[in-house]
Amino acid sequence: MTTNGTSGLSFAESQTAQDAQFSIDNNSYTRGSNVVTDALAGITLTLKGQTATPATITVGTPSPDTAGIQSKLQSFVTQYNTTLDFILGKLQEQPVPNAATDADRAKGVLSGDPGLESLVSSLRNTFSDLVSGRPGNLQSLAQAGLSTGTATGGGPLSSDSIDGKLTLDSDKFSTALSSSFDDVKALFTNATGSYSSEGLAQRLNGVLTPWTASSASNGLLNVRIDGETKTISDLTAQSSAWDQRLAIRQQTLQTKFVAMETALSQAQSQSDWLSGEIAKLG
C-alpha cells in the first residue's frame, strides 16, 4: 500500500487485488472472482469477506420450477392448437367451382381427406386416453389440468372443445405438480414401450413418426408428396409430348393445305383455259 499526503487534503491510495482462496469439504480453491459458479453443482457462491472460522452452507431440498414448466407447457398448448387449426382448415376447405387460377385450384384438395381425419382422431386420443400404472387421481392429463375443456354445459357449446383444442388449468396443474411431481411427470414423459402406460411425449411420437418420417422410411406425408410430385412430373412430360405431337400434326395439315390450294389453283387455271378453248369453237 502506498500513500501520498503532499497535496494537503488530497490522498492517493492503491492496493493490489488478491484472488479469493477458500475450501469446501477440505478441497481448496482459488478463484479470480468473488462470484463462484463451479465449486458446487447448481449453486452460485458470492464471497463477501474473510471468515475466522469455517462457514456453513445449508442447501434446501430442490423443488421443481413450477412456473418454468407451466410456461413451456402453455407454449406447447398454443402451438398444438395452431397446428390443429391449420389441419382442420384444410379438411373443411371446399373446392372452388370453375377455378381459373392455380391458387383457386389448390383449394379444397384435402377436403375430407381420410388420412388427415385419422391423424386428428389419433392426436385427440393421445390426450384423452388413460395412462395405466398411475394413481387413481392422476391417470389422465385432464386430472393434471390439461384437457380439451367441456364441450357441453350450462352455456352454449364450445366449438374449441368440439374441435379438440387444448386448454391448461394453471391452478390445477400447479397443485398437481407441487404435490405429485413424479406422477405428473410420468403423464407427460414415461418411456415404457407400451402405449397404455407411456407418457404423452412417447404417445405423440408414436402417432406422428409414421407421418413425418422420411420417404426412405415410408413416412406418410413424404410418400404422398413424392407421389403427387411424380404425378405432376408425369403430366408435365405428357403435356410436353402432346405439344410436340400437335406441332407435328399442325405442320402436316398445313403442308396438305398448301398442296390442296396449289392443286385447286392449277385446276382453276386449267378450267379457265378449257372454257376459253370451248368458246373459240363456238
Side-chain angles (χ1 to χ4, degrees), residues 133-147:
R134 298 293 102 208
N137 64 329
L138 281 175
Q139 289 184 324
S140 70
L141 292 168
Q143 290 174 313
L146 181 65
S147 69

Side-chain angles (χ1 to χ4, degrees), residues 194-218:
S194 173
Y195 180 88
S196 63
S197 59
E198 62 191 3
L200 175 64
Q202 288 72 34
R203 288 183 173 184
L204 287 175
N205 185 65
V207 170
L208 294 174
T209 295
W211 282 84
T212 59
S214 65
S215 299
S217 299
N218 294 319

Side-chain angles (χ1 to χ4, degrees), residues 206-277:
V207 170
L208 294 174
T209 295
W211 282 84
T212 59
S214 65
S215 299
S217 299
N218 294 319
L220 295 176
L221 285 176
N222 283 308
V223 167
R224 288 184 63 174
I225 291 173
D226 290 346
E228 296 300 328
T229 300
K230 185 178 184 304
T231 298
I232 292 173
S233 178
D234 290 344
L235 290 175
T236 300
Q238 292 178 27
S239 175
S240 178
W242 272 109
D243 285 342
Q244 294 178 12
R245 293 191 187 99
L246 290 173
I248 293 172
R249 181 61 174 166
Q250 180 182 16
Q251 183 62 44
T252 300
L253 291 175
Q254 286 177 338
T255 301
K256 289 183 177 180
F257 182 78
V258 170
M260 183 178 65
E261 281 194 323
T262 301
L264 287 174
S265 177
Q266 292 175 349
Q268 184 64 44
S269 178
Q270 292 177 356
S271 176
D272 292 343
W273 177 82
L274 183 58
S275 295
E277 292 299 316

